[in-house]
Amino acid sequence: MRRRRPSRPRRRLTALLLAIVLLPLLPATAQADDPPAPPPSAPAARSTVAAMQPGWNLGNTYDAIPDETSWGNPPVTRALLKKVRSQGFKSIRLPVTWGIHQGSAPDYTIDPAWMAKVRQVADMALDEGLYVLLNMHHDSWMWVNNLSTDHDAVLARYDATWAQIAAEFRDEPPRLAFESINEPTFSGTSGDDENYRLLAELNRAFHTIVRDSGGENTHRLLVLPTLYTNADQGRLDALAAELSSLHDPMIATTIHFYGWWPFSVNIAGYTRFDATAEQDLTDTFDRAYNTLVARGIPVIIGEYALLAYDHNRPGIIERGEQLKYFDFLGDYARRRKLTTMLWDAGQFLNRETLQWRDQELFAQIKSSWTTRSGTASSDTVFLAKSTAITNQTLTLNTNSTDFQGLRHGSRNLVRGKDYTVSGDQLTLTAATLSHLAGDRSYGVAASLEARFSRGVPWRIDVITYDTPVLANASGDTTGLSVPTAFRGDRLATMEARYDDGSNAGPASWTPYQQWDTAFSAYTDDSIKLTSEFFASLKDDSRVTLTFHFWSGASVTYHVTKSGSSVTGTTA
């Protein structure tokens, strides 16, 4: 299968997000030098954005380079859009990369066949009763980012592009909205002040072109992004100032959200959706609400997911922690009146079969649109094969629901016999676990459902394991495959330190390295160390690796680099 490409340049986004993570968040409270409050949007704008909830991105298709099937997705069909509508989505975001389908200056003519394809899918979606948000996508980093260094040429091309889009769609119904630019970024600038000025200039040009094109465009909903579509306070304030100057009641705004960065890519030991990750989400959504929504300006989270979530790369973010994240995000966005649009590049909905790749995950996402679900401290109970089975306790997170019981298959477990509940502590008895463990083969022995008064059940896998066993290995700096007998366990993260105790690996600021960048574990026979990991190591160095597993077990391993040769040993 052809490798699915990311929806944006991964290195650029990772560097940007790292910078965002390390910068202190600005206070959300009003300051004396805050920009003037923007005028509220019209009721029609607010009702339109509300009616778009929830939304879905047709990602890695018309934004793909060079064509719609280039990044692994099949051509769009009406059946796909019917499926999306039937699953409860009310809108689609239609990302389009235009520049690679344009002629040269001065007209920058968009290929009529490409325009017709985009028009066709937009019309099909509208016919299915969906709202459509049409944008300019990867152009943002392919040529629009040069606005500072090639101002007149870039602006002329941007104007010509939007003039053609506006003319093509001028008579489409109001359920079609335009988004000026995806994740705006600018190169060669002096800093944020210049970036804000350049984005405001683009947005003003977009606004004038669309409004002056006539037809439905005179009052069509227009969606403007923050710089980088980031929701730091400075970004939000700059956009609010833009809105004050436009004085257009049919305006909405957009940000993107992919979670607390260390959690969303599994780095620095952030393997759980913990209080830090939760606070990052609430702070972000609160800033968007306080700065814009509370002032009557609707906000669309035009993309949300987790950066490292991909059905082709399981294990980067643990399954239960994913579920907690999506449950919390959907519920808090609803409480903050934010419209959400799931970024789906094919990793959620299989566009060949029109089936969800993980039905349980989608059920959690869908449930979050209307309520919270109960969860627990973990979705696994690990039973060591080498020791006797004992009672096991999990903490219930009821999330304002009522715990109603445990179920195994078609059988309800008996409270007081199979399990007990004391406050928020759920304890599975040794006798019941012994029965569920069966012959104690490694792996998942049984799956239970914790049921609550609302939302979806919480699955708890009962797993037989023993501490994984690693073997010696040798290779070179292109990568090392470490033979591993996982014995039912699952890798959580990897810690790397030199003999002097200092951090080793590409992420020198933390001992806990990033999954996929430094290591991975996608097969049941090995852990792989990457060429990037070895490239970051000092010459003639010895590194101690500690592999942390979800059972709580940890295994120490040593890697020595000598020139282009590497060896791995257990001792």
Side-chain angles (χ1 to χ4, degrees), residues 196 226 230-241 255 284 287-289 291-292:
Y196 294 146
T226 59
N230 168 260
D232 280 357
Q233 192 62 53
R235 318 301 194 215
L236 295 167
D237 288 342
L239 182 57
I255 59 173
T284 300
R287 289 193 300 273
Y289 177 84
T291 308
L292 297 168

Side-chain angles (χ1 to χ4, degrees), residues 1-132:
M1 180 177 178
R2 186 179 304 167
R3 185 176 183 271
R4 190 177 308 278
R5 297 192 182 187
S7 63
R8 56 193 54 77
R10 182 174 295 166
R11 290 181 184 274
R12 176 178 65 81
L13 182 60
T14 299
L16 170 62
L17 288 170
L18 178 58
I20 292 168
V21 166
L22 297 178
L23 285 172
L25 295 178
L26 296 175
T29 54
Q31 303 295 320
D33 57 352
D34 276 351
S41 298
R46 298 196 295 273
S47 63
T48 296
V49 171
M52 294 169 73
Q53 170 66 11
W56 178 83
N57 273 269
L58 185 63
N60 280 23
T61 299
Y62 291 98
D63 57 314
I65 301 168
D67 215 336
E68 71 264 38
T69 60
S70 298
W71 288 356
N73 283 311
V76 178
T77 63
R78 185 176 290 272
L80 169 64
L81 299 171
K82 284 182 179 290
K83 175 70 175 184
V84 170
R85 184 73 172 94
S86 73
Q87 298 302 287
F89 291 100
K90 302 296 176 55
S91 62
I92 69 165
R93 183 168 177 257
L94 183 53
V96 182
T97 301
W98 301 94
I100 54 175
H101 302 281
Q102 282 184 294
S104 58
D107 296 331
Y108 299 106
T109 302
I110 297 171
D111 177 8
W114 183 250
M115 182 71 85
K117 286 182 179 182
V118 176
R119 175 68 179 265
Q120 180 183 39
V121 72
D123 284 343
M124 286 194 300
L126 292 167
D127 288 345
E128 291 301 323
L130 292 160
Y131 287 79
V132 176

Side-chain angles (χ1 to χ4, degrees), residues 391-437:
N391 292 353
Q392 299 291 315
T393 299
L394 298 173
T395 300
L396 294 173
N397 306 316
T398 57
N399 298 325
S400 300
T401 69
D402 295 321
F403 175 70
Q404 296 188 325
L406 284 179
R407 192 174 181 85
H408 178 228
S410 60
R411 182 176 75 89
N412 290 323
L413 299 189
V414 179
R415 186 167 181 167
K417 175 186 175 184
D418 296 321
Y419 68 92
T420 61
V421 178
S422 177
D424 62 358
Q425 300 298 291
L426 169 66
T427 300
L428 296 163
T429 66
T432 296
L433 289 171
S434 296
H435 172 72
L436 294 172

